[in-house]
Amino acid sequence: MFKRILIANRGEIAVRVIRACRELGIETVAVYSAADANALHRKLATRSVCIGPAKAADSYLNQTAILAAAVESGCEAIHPGYGFLSENDEFADLCAQCGLKFIGPSGEVIRKMGNKAAARALMQQAGVPVVPGSDGVLESPEQALALSEQIGYPVMIKASAGGGGRGMRRVFSPEELPAAYTAAKAEAEACFGNGELYLEKLILSPRHIEFQILADRQGHVVHLGERDCSIQRRNQKLMEESPSRALTAELRERMGQDAVRAAACCGYEGAGTIEFVLDGQGNYYFIEMNTRIQVEHPVTEMVTGRDLVREQLRIAAGLPLSFTQQEVCLMGHAIEVRVNAEDPARDFAPAPGRTEFVHFPGGCGVRVDSALYNGYETSPYYDSMVAKLIVHAPTRLAAIRRMRRVLEEFILEGYPTGAPLAHLILYHPDYLRGEYDTGFLERNLDQLLGWLREGSRPAEQEAKE
Ligand code: ADP
Ligand code: ADP
Ligand code: MG
C-alpha cells in the first residue's frame, strides 16, 4: 500500500479521501488555493501545500503546481476526486511520466471513454445499447438536420466533452435546431474549451439509472448495483437513491452485466460509473461513462457496506478487489440529498457566505459528508455544494422518513440552501410512490416553491413499503 498520496481536490471529496487514507495508514498531502487557506481538507491532511490563487484555472487545475507539490513532498500517487482534473487524460499521462500513480484509469482509457461521442461507438461495438443518434461528432447544422429527420424529433444536441449537465440542448422541431446547435456549441466552447457536438434521440420522461463498477488490474470487474438519479434540475442531480424503484431483479441483472461489459471492453481500472437512461417501456440506453468517483457514491456504500475510496486506493496500489460479484449484496435502501448554497426562490442563484452556525444531523443510519464548520466562509470560486446528507434504512419508506427527520434536524445559518426544497420533495405523492422521472422537478417546481413560500406541505400520504 502507498505510504503517502496527494489529493488534488478540495471540499467534501478531499475530506472523504483523507478519511479512507487515515484508515489505511496512508499519509495525505492536501493542496489548496489562496482562497482555501482555512478549508477543512487542509486542516485534516497530514500536511498541505498552497498551489496558487483562488481561480481554479490557476490552482486546482494547475497541473504543473500540483505535480511539483506531489514530487517535492515525496508522494507516490495522486487522488483526483471528482470535477477538476479527475477526467483529464493529459493529467493522467503527466502523472505517469512523473512516476506518480494516478488513482483512476490510464490516460488512454480516459481518452476512449471521456469523449462522449467516441464512447458511444465503443459501446456499440461491445453490444451495449446506446441511444439512436450520430456516429461520432456532428460536422454542421445541416448534417444535424438531416440526421434528426432520419431518427425523428425530439432530439438532443450534446457536447462531446460535456459534464455537469452543460452543453446540451433539447430540440423539438427543425426550426429550433440551428439556434440550439449554436447555443450548445458556444456553451461547450466556454465550459470545456471544446465545441464538438453529437446528437441523440431525446428519450421522453426517462429515468437516470447508473451502475457503479470497480475493476482491478488483475482483470476482475464487478458492479455494485444501481443509483436512481432522476431528481435533477437542468440535467444536474439533486437527490439520488439506491436501489431504484424502476428496476426488477431481472432488469438489474441485465443492466449490471452490460455495465460490467462496458468497463471490461475498454480495459478499465478503478472506480467508474456507467450511466443509462431508462424509458417507460423498460428499454435502457448507455449515455456516458464517468471515469472517476462520483458525488453520489455514498448511497452505494450504504447499501453494499463497501468503501469505494478504499477499493480505489487498493486497486491503484496493485491489489486485487477485496470481494467478488457473488459477495456483493444490496441491503436496505439509501438516499442522498445534495445541499447546495443557493436560493431556490431566486431561480437557484448561488448564495455563498459565512457559515454562522451549522449543526449536522446524526443518529441511526445517518451519514454526513461535508467540509463545513462553524465560521467557515464558503467561496464563490468553486462548486456550491456544501454538504451531502445520506441515510440508510431497511426499507424505502423508512429511508424517506429518516431523511425527512435528518433535514428537520439539519441547521445551517448564514445563507440559503436547497435543503427545505428537498424536504418537500420527500412529501410529494409521486416521489413517495417512486413514480418519478428526470422531468419531475421541472414539472413540480412551481407547486413545490409555492409550498416553500407558504410554509405548508401536502397532507401525509401513506406510501407502500
Ligand atoms: P456526478 O455524476 O458525480 O454527479 P456531476 O456531473 O455532478 O457528477 O459533477 C461532479 C462535479 O464535477 C461537479 O462539481 C461538476 O461541476 C464538476 N464537473 C463535472 N464535469 C465536469 C467537466 N467536464 N469539467 C469541469 N467540471 C466538471
Ligand atoms: P453530463 O456529462 O453533463 O452528466 P449526460 O450525458 O450524463 O451529461 O446527461 C445528463 C442528463 O441529461 C441525464 O441524466 C438525463 O437526465 C439527460 N439526458 C442526457 N441524454 C439524454 C437523452 N438522449 N434523452 C433524454 N435525456 C437525456
Ligand atoms: Mg452524466
Side-chain angles (χ1 to χ4, degrees), residues 9 37 52 58 96 111-112 129 139 166 172 230 235 241-242 281 283 340 375 410 450:
N9 216 300
D58 301 326
R111 267 189 291 284
K112 278 194 224 165
E139 264 137 40
R166 284 162 301 172
F172 292 87
S230 305
N235 305 313
E241 64 179 307
S242 183
Q281 284 72 52
N283 303 303
N340 297 324
F410 176 57

Side-chain angles (χ1 to χ4, degrees), residues 58-103:
D58 301 326
S59 50
Y60 297 104
L61 293 171
N62 184 340
Q63 304 189 25
T64 317
I66 292 169
L67 291 166
V71 172
E72 278 162 22
S73 57
C75 290
E76 293 154 274
I78 297 189
H79 195 300
Y82 54 69
F84 296 128
L85 295 169
S86 61
E87 295 184 270
N88 188 309
D89 53 300
E90 202 182 295
F91 183 66
D93 284 342
L94 279 176
C95 285
Q97 282 163 29
C98 295
L100 295 159
K101 173 67 189 156
F102 176 81
I103 300 176

Side-chain angles (χ1 to χ4, degrees), residues 2 9 26 34 36 47 51 58 62 68 80 84 94 133 136 148 170 173 187 194 407 422:
F2 304 118
N9 216 300
I26 302 172
D36 272 346
R47 50 178 293 203
I51 44 161
D58 301 326
N62 184 340
F84 296 128
L94 279 176
S148 305
R170 293 175 216 180
S173 69
E187 193 169 305
N194 175 349
L407 286 163

Side-chain angles (χ1 to χ4, degrees), residues 116 163-165 208 210 235 237 275 287-288 290 292 294:
K116 295 166 76 176
H208 173 114
E210 58 182 36
N235 305 313
K237 302 157 188 166
E275 297 191 336
I287 52 171
E288 67 157 340
N290 290 141
R292 54 168 165 88
Q294 274 190 288

Side-chain angles (χ1 to χ4, degrees), residues 132-133 144 147-149 151-158 169-173 176-177 180 199-204:
L147 198 60
S148 305
E149 211 57 56
I151 62 174
Y153 287 91
V155 299
M156 201 174 207
I157 294 180
K158 303 174 70 172
R169 290 289 182 281
R170 293 175 216 180
V171 185
F172 292 87
S173 69
E176 288 173 25
L177 195 139
L199 188 140
E200 281 177 1
K201 190 162 179 66
L202 180 74
I203 306 299
L204 292 172

Side-chain angles (χ1 to χ4, degrees), residues 111-150:
R111 267 189 291 284
K112 278 194 224 165
M113 295 305 269
N115 182 304
K116 295 166 76 176
R120 278 171 57 80
L122 198 64
M123 288 304 105
Q124 274 174 298
Q125 281 166 27
V128 177
V130 304
V131 191
S134 59
D135 292 327
V137 299
L138 295 169
E139 264 137 40
S140 63
E142 291 73 34
Q143 188 205 0
L145 274 167
L147 198 60
S148 305
E149 211 57 56
Q150 217 177 310

Side-chain angles (χ1 to χ4, degrees), residues 266-327:
C266 66
Y268 200 76
E269 169 194 333
T273 299
I274 309 292
E275 297 191 336
F276 298 100
V277 283
L278 172 70
D279 71 15
Q281 284 72 52
N283 303 303
Y284 61 90
Y285 309 93
F286 168 88
I287 52 171
E288 67 157 340
M289 178 171 198
N290 290 141
T291 57
R292 54 168 165 88
I293 193 80
Q294 274 190 288
V295 174
E296 58 274 23
H297 76 276
V299 294
T300 298
E301 296 187 323
M302 296 296 250
V303 294
T304 60
R306 309 285 177 183
D307 180 334
L308 292 173
V309 177
R310 180 190 174 93
E311 291 303 320
Q312 282 190 301
L313 290 161
R314 285 177 48 95
I315 291 166
L319 296 168
L321 276 173
S322 61
F323 53 88
T324 63
Q325 185 71 67
Q326 284 69 40
E327 288 169 316

